[in-house]
Amino acid sequence: MKTRKITALLLCLLLIASCLLVACDQGGDDTSSGSTGTTSSTDTGNNSGTDAKYLDANGRYWPSYSDSMSESIIGNRTEFRVLVYDDTTEKTYYSEEIEPGKYDTTDARLTEAVTERNNLVSEKLGVEIKAVYTDNVTNTLREAMLVAEGDFDAAMPFLSGCAVLAQEGAFYDLRQFENDGIIDLSAPWYDQNANESLSIQNKIYFTVSDMSIMQKIVSIAMTYNPDLLATKFPDLDLLQMVADKEWTFDKLYEIGREFAGDADGNGTLDYNDNWGLVGATGDAIHFYIGSGEKLCTKDENDNPILAIGEGRSITVSQKILSTLQSNNWVNIAQDLTAQGVTDIWTTSLDIFGNGRAPFRVTAFSAIKKLRSYEIDYGIVPIPLADETQEDYYTSCAASMAYGVVVPNFLTEDDAKFAAYMIDVCSAGGKQYIATAYYDQILKNKDALDVETLDLIFDNVIYDVSIVYGFEGLGTLHSTLMAEKSTDIISKLDSIRDQVNAKIDEIVETYSQSN
């Protein structure tokens, strides 16, 4: 039996034993555990360091600062309807966190957590949380805009869709509701990195919150195969290397290149052979973000400005591009098409899952898929650019993360209700759903290293240019990878004027919005 399966089993047994001890201490009274008959690890007592205005009387995350307004905001409404993606076209990045029970493939603990959150909201407010499913949230939102009505109160488009629709005036500025005291964007259930990166002109038309866990599911890290690594590096302790800040891009290359080779001896390197790293053209930007660099930062007026081209950004980019394109040590998923592969992503995962590469750049969505392989695996952050870098940074595949938005076709009163319910559901999401995904699923079920997960999720970065695109700036590195070019200076110069013009256009649009 594989090490991780033994570890997961032991963790489950310890959890059961702990629960039995608690039940004995409480006299076995199941009614003490809340409405669902289960006790979340964060039900009470674990948020003691949080400001009281972000907790309810039982110590659970809750926007207590707006409790005095809740009755007037809700009125006679009994449902909060959220437009979300179903699995019709999105086979991986569909919503499982608004209404429970739709998919039998959803982790049982996640379903339980969504139920806990929804029950809490129902008990406190008398409002039922409902998902309105569609195969394309962006298109459905745009159609609703045209007729100025829809069968939903709020929506969760992908961030790339949020950026498109925000420029069309589709959303209320969330700052408006914050100014009214209805929400607090500095609350712990909003991602502060997202707030900072996605605001323009100090307006936040969309952001990321714990109403969803998609921002975690599409965060980028690296899986590794400890058994395979041990065949060539028996003394390597990768987790200790990470802890000691010795896990660098150079180390990845130094280790990974030792495993690449023509396994079947036919003289051609393809998906049947061994590789040092399994990745995709889009991974160059993840290594760039992981190095602490950004494509855009902000000026004193909260407007995007080009960051790439300054400091060490070009040198870092050139090194990443040249290393990923050199010495046939990286298997790039998009290259598999020329080899006759139709499902490039499954085949790419197979290379790692079947033990033919020690490393894979991965979104957390792939962790669930790795469970079906007979392989022991762990996870580490994207490596540092070098040992002078102080912190690890995690790139969010931001085009596939969900934003939370209040549609502009709503009346002012309906919009206030939507904003309030986003705040409530995000607080409950942090209390139950985010915790279940992080603690019970990633840490316990998948037996991933706790300290490493903390390093990965402590610094999730959302680059505004990746979300908005900015005339090719957001895909600059992946374009060069696809072209098998490292000439980032020429490519950047070729789009610089268009990028700045697009930024100016968006800034002007937002400056004229109320």
Side-chain angles (χ1 to χ4, degrees), residues 275-336:
W275 297 90
L277 172 67
V278 182
T281 56
D283 293 340
I285 186 60
H286 301 316
F287 286 114
Y288 178 78
I289 296 295
S291 74
E293 296 295 325
K294 290 186 177 181
L295 298 172
C296 276
T297 53
K298 299 288 189 65
D299 66 14
E300 66 278 7
N301 297 313
D302 194 38
N303 296 324
I305 54 173
L306 276 174
I308 188 167
E310 302 297 324
R312 64 172 190 161
S313 60
I314 294 298
T315 301
V316 167
S317 294
Q318 289 172 329
K319 181 176 182 178
I320 291 168
L321 291 166
S322 62
T323 303
L324 293 180
Q325 295 175 33
S326 68
N327 295 342
N328 293 323
W329 73 288
V330 184
N331 184 280
I332 300 296
Q334 286 83 354
D335 291 345
L336 299 177

Side-chain angles (χ1 to χ4, degrees), residues 126-155:
V127 176
E128 301 295 326
I129 300 172
K130 298 292 184 182
V132 178
Y133 293 101
T134 179
D135 63 350
N136 193 310
V137 172
T138 300
N139 287 348
T140 303
L141 269 168
R142 183 175 283 116
E143 290 166 3
M145 285 173 56
L146 293 174
V147 296
E149 64 178 2
D151 60 351
F152 52 91
D153 305 295

Side-chain angles (χ1 to χ4, degrees), residues 281 284-285 314 316-326 332 335 475-494:
T281 56
I285 186 60
I314 294 298
V316 167
S317 294
Q318 289 172 329
K319 181 176 182 178
I320 291 168
L321 291 166
S322 62
T323 303
L324 293 180
Q325 295 175 33
S326 68
I332 300 296
D335 291 345
T475 56
L476 177 63
H477 291 78
S478 59
T479 298
L480 287 164
M481 284 293 295
E483 295 174 351
K484 302 193 182 305
S485 168
T486 62
D487 191 2
I488 192 164
I489 295 176
S490 294
K491 182 65 72 173
L492 178 60
D493 287 343
S494 72

Side-chain angles (χ1 to χ4, degrees), residues 213-322:
I213 55 171
M214 191 58 71
Q215 73 275 15
K216 290 180 172 63
I217 291 173
V218 300
S219 289
I220 305 298
M222 298 192 66
T223 48
Y224 68 94
N225 182 331
D227 295 334
L228 184 58
L229 285 172
T231 63
K232 292 182 181 291
F233 298 92
D235 298 324
L236 176 66
D237 186 341
L238 192 58
L239 294 181
Q240 189 60 49
M241 183 181 291
V242 169
D244 293 340
K245 304 292 181 68
E246 297 173 355
W247 173 234
T248 65
F249 190 66
D250 285 338
K251 281 292 184 183
L252 168 64
Y253 176 54
E254 176 187 326
I255 297 169
R257 66 182 179 180
E258 295 298 320
F259 292 87
D262 183 10
D264 55 15
N266 66 358
T268 301
L269 287 174
D270 59 21
Y271 61 91
N272 294 307
D273 293 308
N274 297 331
W275 297 90
L277 172 67
V278 182
T281 56
D283 293 340
I285 186 60
H286 301 316
F287 286 114
Y288 178 78
I289 296 295
S291 74
E293 296 295 325
K294 290 186 177 181
L295 298 172
C296 276
T297 53
K298 299 288 189 65
D299 66 14
E300 66 278 7
N301 297 313
D302 194 38
N303 296 324
I305 54 173
L306 276 174
I308 188 167
E310 302 297 324
R312 64 172 190 161
S313 60
I314 294 298
T315 301
V316 167
S317 294
Q318 289 172 329
K319 181 176 182 178
I320 291 168
L321 291 166
S322 62

